Amino acid sequence: ENVGKNARMLAMSLQFSPKFAKEITNEFVDMIEMVAPLHDLGKITIPDAVLTKPGALTFEEYEIIKTHAKAGADMIRENMSQMVSGDFLQVACDMAQYHHEKWNGKGYPNGLKGKEIPLTARILAITDVFDALVSKRQYKEGMSIDEAFSIMEKDRGESFEAEILDVFFDLREELER
């Protein structure tokens, strides 16, 4: 839910940027919020022992975790194609499959780079990482917004598209609320 609300807020802010204004409509903003909660659906295919493991994952465990992105997109495609419109289905599949791609091409599952990554997934990647950093999880404590922003800033232009990350950082007051 937080990821969706934050993705909506970020998408709405990007509507005012000349770089993104043509791509981001009100329908896009609504869709990104509705679809965001589905982005990690593929995690239901990951064994609990791996998913909730405290501490660092082994190479093999990380390879298992990485399968959730494609698995989620496949599940969405197989189970929702008869129920939702083409645009909604495409956005849902894109966000599930590509939210771990990185701006520099070093992400997964496809190693997409830059604008090869759908805009919806580039937005979601930022809000998903932020939520993962600030939220308490079974295997870790949440961190402060300062700490999260500091970590994310180091990935500016590497994991995240710089212009989108800058707009996200401008939303700090809203995120704190």
Side-chain angles (χ1 to χ4, degrees):
E1 191 175 311
N2 289 335
V3 173
K5 287 179 183 176
N6 290 341
R8 177 186 185 81
M9 190 173 16
L10 178 53
M12 286 175 67
S13 295
L14 290 169
Q15 278 184 297
F16 298 104
S17 165
K19 182 175 179 177
F20 301 102
K22 290 181 182 174
E23 289 180 80
I24 301 178
T25 63
N26 290 339
E27 181 183 58
F28 178 102
V29 172
D30 291 341
M31 204 175 319
I32 204 168
E33 181 180 23
M34 285 187 290
V35 170
L38 299 175
H39 78 278
D40 272 339
L41 181 64
K43 283 188 176 179
I44 66 171
T45 66
I46 307 300
D48 285 344
V50 174
L51 198 57
T52 61
K53 179 183 176 183
L57 298 172
T58 66
F59 174 82
E60 292 80 13
E61 290 166 335
Y62 185 58
E63 291 299 308
I64 292 168
I65 288 283
K66 289 175 15 179
T67 65
H68 85 276
K70 183 175 181 321
D74 289 346
M75 287 190 301
I76 291 167
R77 196 173 294 106
E78 290 166 14
N79 293 294
M80 296 179 69
S81 61
Q82 301 300 321
M83 299 182 291
V84 296
S85 74
D87 288 345
F88 187 93
L89 183 64
Q90 187 64 53
V91 168
C93 290
D94 286 351
M95 289 173 74
Q97 183 150 349
Y98 304 123
H99 71 280
H100 286 290
E101 298 289 354
K102 297 189 182 305
W103 188 247
N104 63 9
K106 296 181 180 177
Y108 65 86
N110 298 84
L112 300 181
K113 181 178 184 178
K115 292 190 177 184
E116 294 172 348
I117 306 164
L119 179 58
T120 54
R122 297 189 328 252
I123 291 169
L124 182 71
I126 290 169
T127 61
D128 186 40
V129 167
F130 176 75
D131 188 66
L133 292 172
V134 300
S135 298
K136 181 180 178 178
R137 302 285 166 92
Q138 186 174 2
Y139 51 88
K140 73 165 195 73
E141 292 298 315
M143 60 179 63
S144 71
I145 289 179
D146 285 336
E147 292 170 302
F149 275 20
S150 177
I151 288 169
M152 293 174 76
E153 175 63 34
K154 291 175 188 163
D155 276 336
R156 183 181 185 277
E158 296 295 321
S159 292
F160 311 116
E161 183 175 355
E163 291 87 350
I164 297 175
L165 187 63
D166 291 344
V167 170
F168 185 72
F169 286 162
D170 289 342
L171 296 171
R172 183 185 180 114
E173 285 183 34
E174 289 89 342
L175 294 167
E176 287 175 338
R177 276 188 246 134

